[in-house]
Amino acid sequence: MDGWYVDDRCTNCDVARQFAPGLIGEADGKSVVLRPPADDAENRRLHAAVFACPTRSIRPLTGRADQSLNPFPMHLDDGVLICGHNSPHTAGANSYLLPRPSGTSMMIDTPR
Ligand code: SF4
């Protein structure tokens, strides 16, 4: 696919497809880029997949991904944040940060 590819380190953990459905799909036991993003919203979704991928396998043909498009930590509902930067040491698990009213926070799973 023009512009982006998935390298052969992909472990088929599914994280990229969760963040960028329709842009990244599965073929032959790994992720593949189905098409380039068509607008800013899709570009943000693709870059969420790029910066969540535990093996950093989603790559632009031109070199490195634009670090300024790293969306993490990303706010979800009710103040919960998803950390991105998934770790290969947790099999690519998504990690979350939950701020508590007391001022402390709880992390569920750990990013890289
Ligand atoms: S997040 Fe990375 S390792 Fe996981 S399926 Fe997508 S490209 Fe492969």
Side-chain angles (χ1 to χ4, degrees), residues 40-73:
D40 284 349
E42 287 192 351
N43 197 38
R44 285 194 296 274
R45 284 168 39 208
L46 179 66
H47 279 82
V50 167
F51 289 103
C53 175
T55 55
R56 292 288 197 256
S57 290
I58 307 163
R59 309 180 70 85
L61 291 172
T62 52
R64 292 189 52 168
D66 183 346
Q67 303 295 308
S68 72
L69 294 177
N70 172 5
F72 298 111

PDB file of all heavy atoms in Angstrom, residues 40-73:
ATOM      1  N   ASP A  40      -7.932  13.894   8.109  1.00  0.00           N
ATOM      2  CA  ASP A  40      -7.215  14.094   9.374  1.00  0.00           C
ATOM      3  C   ASP A  40      -7.643  13.100  10.445  1.00  0.00           C
ATOM      4  O   ASP A  40      -6.819  12.606  11.214  1.00  0.00           O
ATOM      5  CB  ASP A  40      -7.434  15.525   9.881  1.00  0.00           C
ATOM      6  CG  ASP A  40      -6.602  16.535   9.107  1.00  0.00           C
ATOM      7  OD1 ASP A  40      -5.708  16.114   8.337  1.00  0.00           O
ATOM      8  OD2 ASP A  40      -6.854  17.743   9.267  1.00  0.00           O
ATOM      9  N   ALA A  41      -8.937  12.803  10.501  1.00  0.00           N
ATOM     10  CA  ALA A  41      -9.425  11.869  11.519  1.00  0.00           C
ATOM     11  C   ALA A  41      -8.820  10.487  11.294  1.00  0.00           C
ATOM     12  O   ALA A  41      -8.373   9.819  12.249  1.00  0.00           O
ATOM     13  CB  ALA A  41     -10.957  11.813  11.489  1.00  0.00           C
ATOM     14  N   GLU A  42      -8.778  10.058  10.056  1.00  0.00           N
ATOM     15  CA  GLU A  42      -8.180   8.750   9.777  1.00  0.00           C
ATOM     16  C   GLU A  42      -6.671   8.779  10.007  1.00  0.00           C
ATOM     17  O   GLU A  42      -6.086   7.792  10.451  1.00  0.00           O
ATOM     18  CB  GLU A  42      -8.497   8.327   8.337  1.00  0.00           C
ATOM     19  CG  GLU A  42      -9.956   7.913   8.156  1.00  0.00           C
ATOM     20  CD  GLU A  42     -10.213   7.222   6.822  1.00  0.00           C
ATOM     21  OE1 GLU A  42      -9.308   7.201   5.942  1.00  0.00           O
ATOM     22  OE2 GLU A  42     -11.326   6.713   6.655  1.00  0.00           O
ATOM     23  N   ASN A  43      -6.036   9.906   9.718  1.00  0.00           N
ATOM     24  CA  ASN A  43      -4.595  10.015   9.974  1.00  0.00           C
ATOM     25  C   ASN A  43      -4.308   9.906  11.470  1.00  0.00           C
ATOM     26  O   ASN A  43      -3.329   9.269  11.886  1.00  0.00           O
ATOM     27  CB  ASN A  43      -4.082  11.347   9.428  1.00  0.00           C
ATOM     28  CG  ASN A  43      -2.571  11.350   9.293  1.00  0.00           C
ATOM     29  OD1 ASN A  43      -1.960  10.356   8.929  1.00  0.00           O
ATOM     30  ND2 ASN A  43      -1.962  12.481   9.622  1.00  0.00           N
ATOM     31  N   ARG A  44      -5.187  10.479  12.298  1.00  0.00           N
ATOM     32  CA  ARG A  44      -5.011  10.357  13.755  1.00  0.00           C
ATOM     33  C   ARG A  44      -5.195   8.907  14.203  1.00  0.00           C
ATOM     34  O   ARG A  44      -4.460   8.421  15.058  1.00  0.00           O
ATOM     35  CB  ARG A  44      -5.990  11.282  14.483  1.00  0.00           C
ATOM     36  CG  ARG A  44      -5.583  12.754  14.427  1.00  0.00           C
ATOM     37  CD  ARG A  44      -6.369  13.593  15.419  1.00  0.00           C
ATOM     38  NE  ARG A  44      -7.789  13.623  15.126  1.00  0.00           N
ATOM     39  CZ  ARG A  44      -8.367  14.475  14.283  1.00  0.00           C
ATOM     40  NH1 ARG A  44      -7.639  15.369  13.661  1.00  0.00           N
ATOM     41  NH2 ARG A  44      -9.668  14.436  14.083  1.00  0.00           N
ATOM     42  N   ARG A  45      -6.169   8.224  13.623  1.00  0.00           N
ATOM     43  CA  ARG A  45      -6.385   6.813  13.982  1.00  0.00           C
ATOM     44  C   ARG A  45      -5.191   5.966  13.569  1.00  0.00           C
ATOM     45  O   ARG A  45      -4.747   5.080  14.312  1.00  0.00           O
ATOM     46  CB  ARG A  45      -7.668   6.295  13.323  1.00  0.00           C
ATOM     47  CG  ARG A  45      -8.925   6.801  14.024  1.00  0.00           C
ATOM     48  CD  ARG A  45     -10.196   6.540  13.240  1.00  0.00           C
ATOM     49  NE  ARG A  45     -10.223   5.264  12.569  1.00  0.00           N
ATOM     50  CZ  ARG A  45     -10.912   5.013  11.461  1.00  0.00           C
ATOM     51  NH1 ARG A  45     -11.641   5.959  10.908  1.00  0.00           N
ATOM     52  NH2 ARG A  45     -10.880   3.828  10.919  1.00  0.00           N
ATOM     53  N   LEU A  46      -4.670   6.226  12.375  1.00  0.00           N
ATOM     54  CA  LEU A  46      -3.503   5.455  11.933  1.00  0.00           C
ATOM     55  C   LEU A  46      -2.320   5.694  12.870  1.00  0.00           C
ATOM     56  O   LEU A  46      -1.623   4.747  13.257  1.00  0.00           O
ATOM     57  CB  LEU A  46      -3.122   5.834  10.501  1.00  0.00           C
ATOM     58  CG  LEU A  46      -1.886   5.089   9.966  1.00  0.00           C
ATOM     59  CD1 LEU A  46      -2.165   3.595   9.829  1.00  0.00           C
ATOM     60  CD2 LEU A  46      -1.427   5.666   8.647  1.00  0.00           C
ATOM     61  N   HIS A  47      -2.105   6.950  13.263  1.00  0.00           N
ATOM     62  CA  HIS A  47      -0.964   7.232  14.136  1.00  0.00           C
ATOM     63  C   HIS A  47      -1.173   6.686  15.546  1.00  0.00           C
ATOM     64  O   HIS A  47      -0.197   6.346  16.218  1.00  0.00           O
ATOM     65  CB  HIS A  47      -0.648   8.733  14.142  1.00  0.00           C
ATOM     66  CG  HIS A  47       0.144   9.140  12.945  1.00  0.00           C
ATOM     67  ND1 HIS A  47      -0.442   9.387  11.724  1.00  0.00           N
ATOM     68  CD2 HIS A  47       1.493   9.262  12.752  1.00  0.00           C
ATOM     69  CE1 HIS A  47       0.496   9.683  10.846  1.00  0.00           C
ATOM     70  NE2 HIS A  47       1.668   9.616  11.445  1.00  0.00           N
ATOM     71  N   ALA A  48      -2.413   6.564  15.992  1.00  0.00           N
ATOM     72  CA  ALA A  48      -2.645   5.882  17.268  1.00  0.00           C
ATOM     73  C   ALA A  48      -2.173   4.435  17.147  1.00  0.00           C
ATOM     74  O   ALA A  48      -1.514   3.902  18.054  1.00  0.00           O
ATOM     75  CB  ALA A  48      -4.123   5.956  17.644  1.00  0.00           C
ATOM     76  N   ALA A  49      -2.478   3.796  16.036  1.00  0.00           N
ATOM     77  CA  ALA A  49      -2.001   2.418  15.824  1.00  0.00           C
ATOM     78  C   ALA A  49      -0.480   2.378  15.761  1.00  0.00           C
ATOM     79  O   ALA A  49       0.156   1.495  16.355  1.00  0.00           O
ATOM     80  CB  ALA A  49      -2.614   1.865  14.538  1.00  0.00           C
ATOM     81  N   VAL A  50       0.110   3.341  15.065  1.00  0.00           N
ATOM     82  CA  VAL A  50       1.573   3.393  14.932  1.00  0.00           C
ATOM     83  C   VAL A  50       2.234   3.453  16.300  1.00  0.00           C
ATOM     84  O   VAL A  50       3.184   2.725  16.594  1.00  0.00           O
ATOM     85  CB  VAL A  50       1.989   4.615  14.083  1.00  0.00           C
ATOM     86  CG1 VAL A  50       3.486   4.890  14.189  1.00  0.00           C
ATOM     87  CG2 VAL A  50       1.576   4.423  12.629  1.00  0.00           C
ATOM     88  N   PHE A  51       1.717   4.333  17.179  1.00  0.00           N
ATOM     89  CA  PHE A  51       2.369   4.556  18.472  1.00  0.00           C
ATOM     90  C   PHE A  51       1.879   3.602  19.557  1.00  0.00           C
ATOM     91  O   PHE A  51       2.403   3.631  20.666  1.00  0.00           O
ATOM     92  CB  PHE A  51       2.204   6.018  18.895  1.00  0.00           C
ATOM     93  CG  PHE A  51       3.040   6.946  18.057  1.00  0.00           C
ATOM     94  CD1 PHE A  51       2.478   7.705  17.049  1.00  0.00           C
ATOM     95  CD2 PHE A  51       4.410   7.024  18.261  1.00  0.00           C
ATOM     96  CE1 PHE A  51       3.247   8.546  16.266  1.00  0.00           C
ATOM     97  CE2 PHE A  51       5.202   7.867  17.481  1.00  0.00           C
ATOM     98  CZ  PHE A  51       4.619   8.623  16.476  1.00  0.00           C
ATOM     99  N   ALA A  52       0.922   2.762  19.256  1.00  0.00           N
ATOM    100  CA  ALA A  52       0.529   1.708  20.193  1.00  0.00           C
ATOM    101  C   ALA A  52       1.234   0.395  19.873  1.00  0.00           C
ATOM    102  O   ALA A  52       1.463  -0.418  20.767  1.00  0.00           O
ATOM    103  CB  ALA A  52      -0.987   1.513  20.154  1.00  0.00           C
ATOM    104  N   CYS A  53       1.556   0.182  18.620  1.00  0.00           N
ATOM    105  CA  CYS A  53       2.110  -1.111  18.170  1.00  0.00           C
ATOM    106  C   CYS A  53       3.322  -1.527  19.007  1.00  0.00           C
ATOM    107  O   CYS A  53       4.305  -0.791  19.076  1.00  0.00           O
ATOM    108  CB  CYS A  53       2.506  -1.015  16.702  1.00  0.00           C
ATOM    109  SG  CYS A  53       3.338  -2.500  16.106  1.00  0.00           S
ATOM    110  N   PRO A  54       3.270  -2.690  19.653  1.00  0.00           N
ATOM    111  CA  PRO A  54       4.376  -3.093  20.531  1.00  0.00           C
ATOM    112  C   PRO A  54       5.679  -3.396  19.806  1.00  0.00           C
ATOM    113  O   PRO A  54       6.740  -3.367  20.422  1.00  0.00           O
ATOM    114  CB  PRO A  54       3.842  -4.355  21.223  1.00  0.00           C
ATOM    115  CG  PRO A  54       2.774  -4.862  20.321  1.00  0.00           C
ATOM    116  CD  PRO A  54       2.164  -3.649  19.669  1.00  0.00           C
ATOM    117  N   THR A  55       5.605  -3.658  18.519  1.00  0.00           N
ATOM    118  CA  THR A  55       6.831  -3.940  17.770  1.00  0.00           C
ATOM    119  C   THR A  55       7.218  -2.793  16.836  1.00  0.00           C
ATOM    120  O   THR A  55       8.177  -2.921  16.065  1.00  0.00           O
ATOM    121  CB  THR A  55       6.669  -5.233  16.942  1.00  0.00           C
ATOM    122  OG1 THR A  55       5.513  -5.107  16.106  1.00  0.00           O
ATOM    123  CG2 THR A  55       6.513  -6.443  17.848  1.00  0.00           C
ATOM    124  N   ARG A  56       6.480  -1.687  16.913  1.00  0.00           N
ATOM    125  CA  ARG A  56       6.737  -0.522  16.044  1.00  0.00           C
ATOM    126  C   ARG A  56       6.795  -0.958  14.567  1.00  0.00           C
ATOM    127  O   ARG A  56       7.660  -0.513  13.805  1.00  0.00           O
ATOM    128  CB  ARG A  56       8.041   0.168  16.435  1.00  0.00           C
ATOM    129  CG  ARG A  56       8.000   0.853  17.787  1.00  0.00           C
ATOM    130  CD  ARG A  56       7.133   2.100  17.708  1.00  0.00           C
ATOM    131  NE  ARG A  56       7.353   3.003  18.830  1.00  0.00           N
ATOM    132  CZ  ARG A  56       6.514   3.138  19.853  1.00  0.00           C
ATOM    133  NH1 ARG A  56       5.411   2.420  19.911  1.00  0.00           N
ATOM    134  NH2 ARG A  56       6.761   3.994  20.818  1.00  0.00           N
ATOM    135  N   SER A  57       5.848  -1.822  14.211  1.00  0.00           N
ATOM    136  CA  SER A  57       5.890  -2.437  12.875  1.00  0.00           C
ATOM    137  C   SER A  57       5.190  -1.636  11.799  1.00  0.00           C
ATOM    138  O   SER A  57       5.361  -1.937  10.617  1.00  0.00           O
ATOM    139  CB  SER A  57       5.252  -3.836  12.941  1.00  0.00           C
ATOM    140  OG  SER A  57       6.075  -4.720  13.651  1.00  0.00           O
ATOM    141  N   ILE A  58       4.383  -0.631  12.171  1.00  0.00           N
ATOM    142  CA  ILE A  58       3.650   0.145  11.165  1.00  0.00           C
ATOM    143  C   ILE A  58       4.508   1.345  10.813  1.00  0.00           C
ATOM    144  O   ILE A  58       4.765   2.218  11.649  1.00  0.00           O
ATOM    145  CB  ILE A  58       2.285   0.590  11.703  1.00  0.00           C
ATOM    146  CG1 ILE A  58       1.523  -0.611  12.236  1.00  0.00           C
ATOM    147  CG2 ILE A  58       1.484   1.309  10.621  1.00  0.00           C
ATOM    148  CD1 ILE A  58       0.373  -0.239  13.139  1.00  0.00           C
ATOM    149  N   ARG A  59       4.963   1.377   9.578  1.00  0.00           N
ATOM    150  CA  ARG A  59       6.029   2.320   9.232  1.00  0.00           C
ATOM    151  C   ARG A  59       5.713   3.054   7.936  1.00  0.00           C
ATOM    152  O   ARG A  59       5.191   2.460   6.997  1.00  0.00           O
ATOM    153  CB  ARG A  59       7.350   1.564   9.093  1.00  0.00           C
ATOM    154  CG  ARG A  59       7.657   0.672  10.286  1.00  0.00           C
ATOM    155  CD  ARG A  59       8.961  -0.050  10.122  1.00  0.00           C
ATOM    156  NE  ARG A  59      10.080   0.851  10.212  1.00  0.00           N
ATOM    157  CZ  ARG A  59      10.644   1.228  11.349  1.00  0.00           C
ATOM    158  NH1 ARG A  59      10.197   0.775  12.489  1.00  0.00           N
ATOM    159  NH2 ARG A  59      11.659   2.049  11.352  1.00  0.00           N
ATOM    160  N   PRO A  60       6.088   4.330   7.886  1.00  0.00           N
ATOM    161  CA  PRO A  60       5.970   5.044   6.610  1.00  0.00           C
ATOM    162  C   PRO A  60       7.132   4.659   5.697  1.00  0.00           C
ATOM    163  O   PRO A  60       8.248   4.438   6.168  1.00  0.00           O
ATOM    164  CB  PRO A  60       6.041   6.521   7.025  1.00  0.00           C
ATOM    165  CG  PRO A  60       6.817   6.524   8.294  1.00  0.00           C
ATOM    166  CD  PRO A  60       6.552   5.198   8.972  1.00  0.00           C
ATOM    167  N   LEU A  61       6.878   4.608   4.416  1.00  0.00           N
ATOM    168  CA  LEU A  61       7.945   4.283   3.462  1.00  0.00           C
ATOM    169  C   LEU A  61       9.042   5.334   3.484  1.00  0.00           C
ATOM    170  O   LEU A  61      10.186   5.062   3.128  1.00  0.00           O
ATOM    171  CB  LEU A  61       7.362   4.181   2.046  1.00  0.00           C
ATOM    172  CG  LEU A  61       6.449   2.975   1.800  1.00  0.00           C
ATOM    173  CD1 LEU A  61       5.783   3.091   0.436  1.00  0.00           C
ATOM    174  CD2 LEU A  61       7.216   1.673   1.927  1.00  0.00           C
ATOM    175  N   THR A  62       8.691   6.546   3.926  1.00  0.00           N
ATOM    176  CA  THR A  62       9.643   7.653   3.886  1.00  0.00           C
ATOM    177  C   THR A  62      10.619   7.661   5.061  1.00  0.00           C
ATOM    178  O   THR A  62      11.530   8.478   5.087  1.00  0.00           O
ATOM    179  CB  THR A  62       8.879   8.981   3.893  1.00  0.00           C
ATOM    180  OG1 THR A  62       7.965   8.979   4.992  1.00  0.00           O
ATOM    181  CG2 THR A  62       8.116   9.172   2.596  1.00  0.00           C
ATOM    182  N   GLY A  63      10.414   6.779   6.069  1.00  0.00           N
ATOM    183  CA  GLY A  63      11.324   6.799   7.213  1.00  0.00           C
ATOM    184  C   GLY A  63      10.570   6.672   8.512  1.00  0.00           C
ATOM    185  O   GLY A  63       9.829   5.728   8.716  1.00  0.00           O
ATOM    186  N   ARG A  64      10.734   7.629   9.424  1.00  0.00           N
ATOM    187  CA  ARG A  64      10.108   7.564  10.739  1.00  0.00           C
ATOM    188  C   ARG A  64       8.751   8.242  10.739  1.00  0.00           C
ATOM    189  O   ARG A  64       8.528   9.223  10.026  1.00  0.00           O
ATOM    190  CB  ARG A  64      10.995   8.239  11.786  1.00  0.00           C
ATOM    191  CG  ARG A  64      12.284   7.489  12.042  1.00  0.00           C
ATOM    192  CD  ARG A  64      13.007   8.081  13.213  1.00  0.00           C
ATOM    193  NE  ARG A  64      12.121   8.187  14.378  1.00  0.00           N
ATOM    194  CZ  ARG A  64      12.553   8.454  15.609  1.00  0.00           C
ATOM    195  NH1 ARG A  64      13.815   8.656  15.827  1.00  0.00           N
ATOM    196  NH2 ARG A  64      11.702   8.540  16.597  1.00  0.00           N
ATOM    197  N   ALA A  65       7.858   7.727  11.585  1.00  0.00           N
ATOM    198  CA  ALA A  65       6.560   8.380  11.767  1.00  0.00           C
ATOM    199  C   ALA A  65       6.769   9.741  12.427  1.00  0.00           C
ATOM    200  O   ALA A  65       7.720   9.949  13.183  1.00  0.00           O
ATOM    201  CB  ALA A  65       5.665   7.501  12.638  1.00  0.00           C
ATOM    202  N   ASP A  66       5.865  10.651  12.151  1.00  0.00           N
ATOM    203  CA  ASP A  66       5.916  11.999  12.721  1.00  0.00           C
ATOM    204  C   ASP A  66       5.610  11.930  14.221  1.00  0.00           C
ATOM    205  O   ASP A  66       4.481  11.642  14.614  1.00  0.00           O
ATOM    206  CB  ASP A  66       4.887  12.877  11.988  1.00  0.00           C
ATOM    207  CG  ASP A  66       4.909  14.323  12.454  1.00  0.00           C
ATOM    208  OD1 ASP A  66       5.514  14.617  13.510  1.00  0.00           O
ATOM    209  OD2 ASP A  66       4.294  15.151  11.763  1.00  0.00           O
ATOM    210  N   GLN A  67       6.615  12.193  15.046  1.00  0.00           N
ATOM    211  CA  GLN A  67       6.452  12.072  16.507  1.00  0.00           C
ATOM    212  C   GLN A  67       5.416  13.060  17.049  1.00  0.00           C
ATOM    213  O   GLN A  67       4.814  12.819  18.097  1.00  0.00           O
ATOM    214  CB  GLN A  67       7.799  12.304  17.208  1.00  0.00           C
ATOM    215  CG  GLN A  67       8.903  11.357  16.756  1.00  0.00           C
ATOM    216  CD  GLN A  67       8.641   9.906  17.116  1.00  0.00           C
ATOM    217  OE1 GLN A  67       8.360   9.600  18.267  1.00  0.00           O
ATOM    218  NE2 GLN A  67       8.707   9.024  16.130  1.00  0.00           N
ATOM    219  N   SER A  68       5.186  14.135  16.333  1.00  0.00           N
ATOM    220  CA  SER A  68       4.210  15.124  16.818  1.00  0.00           C
ATOM    221  C   SER A  68       2.777  14.587  16.717  1.00  0.00           C
ATOM    222  O   SER A  68       1.857  15.189  17.288  1.00  0.00           O
ATOM    223  CB  SER A  68       4.338  16.432  16.037  1.00  0.00           C
ATOM    224  OG  SER A  68       3.846  16.295  14.717  1.00  0.00           O
ATOM    225  N   LEU A  69       2.583  13.481  16.035  1.00  0.00           N
ATOM    226  CA  LEU A  69       1.249  12.886  15.915  1.00  0.00           C
ATOM    227  C   LEU A  69       1.028  11.741  16.901  1.00  0.00           C
ATOM    228  O   LEU A  69       0.030  11.033  16.826  1.00  0.00           O
ATOM    229  CB  LEU A  69       1.022  12.407  14.471  1.00  0.00           C
ATOM    230  CG  LEU A  69       0.971  13.525  13.424  1.00  0.00           C
ATOM    231  CD1 LEU A  69       0.825  12.945  12.024  1.00  0.00           C
ATOM    232  CD2 LEU A  69      -0.172  14.490  13.722  1.00  0.00           C
ATOM    233  N   ASN A  70       1.975  11.582  17.842  1.00  0.00           N
ATOM    234  CA  ASN A  70       1.794  10.603  18.920  1.00  0.00           C
ATOM    235  C   ASN A  70       0.645  11.075  19.816  1.00  0.00           C
ATOM    236  O   ASN A  70       0.761  12.124  20.452  1.00  0.00           O
ATOM    237  CB  ASN A  70       3.104  10.515  19.710  1.00  0.00           C
ATOM    238  CG  ASN A  70       2.981   9.679  20.967  1.00  0.00           C
ATOM    239  OD1 ASN A  70       1.956   9.073  21.230  1.00  0.00           O
ATOM    240  ND2 ASN A  70       4.048   9.669  21.732  1.00  0.00           N
ATOM    241  N   PRO A  71      -0.452  10.341  19.897  1.00  0.00           N
ATOM    242  CA  PRO A  71      -1.621  10.841  20.630  1.00  0.00           C
ATOM    243  C   PRO A  71      -1.658  10.438  22.106  1.00  0.00           C
ATOM    244  O   PRO A  71      -2.616  10.784  22.813  1.00  0.00           O
ATOM    245  CB  PRO A  71      -2.777  10.158  19.903  1.00  0.00           C
ATOM    246  CG  PRO A  71      -2.214   8.823  19.535  1.00  0.00           C
ATOM    247  CD  PRO A  71      -0.754   9.075  19.218  1.00  0.00           C
ATOM    248  N   PHE A  72      -0.661   9.729  22.563  1.00  0.00           N
ATOM    249  CA  PHE A  72      -0.728   9.148  23.913  1.00  0.00           C
ATOM    250  C   PHE A  72      -0.009   9.989  24.946  1.00  0.00           C
ATOM    251  O   PHE A  72       1.003  10.598  24.628  1.00  0.00           O
ATOM    252  CB  PHE A  72      -0.154   7.731  23.880  1.00  0.00           C
ATOM    253  CG  PHE A  72      -0.928   6.821  22.977  1.00  0.00           C
ATOM    254  CD1 PHE A  72      -0.375   6.361  21.795  1.00  0.00           C
ATOM    255  CD2 PHE A  72      -2.230   6.449  23.300  1.00  0.00           C
ATOM    256  CE1 PHE A  72      -1.092   5.529  20.954  1.00  0.00           C
ATOM    257  CE2 PHE A  72      -2.958   5.621  22.456  1.00  0.00           C
ATOM    258  CZ  PHE A  72      -2.389   5.157  21.284  1.00  0.00           C
ATOM    259  N   PRO A  73      -0.520   9.945  26.203  1.00  0.00           N
ATOM    260  CA  PRO A  73      -1.720   9.240  26.676  1.00  0.00           C
ATOM    261  C   PRO A  73      -2.989   9.892  26.118  1.00  0.00           C
ATOM    262  O   PRO A  73      -3.058  11.114  25.988  1.00  0.00           O
ATOM    263  CB  PRO A  73      -1.638   9.358  28.199  1.00  0.00           C
ATOM    264  CG  PRO A  73      -0.804  10.579  28.435  1.00  0.00           C
ATOM    265  CD  PRO A  73       0.165  10.657  27.289  1.00  0.00           C
TER     266      PRO A  73
END
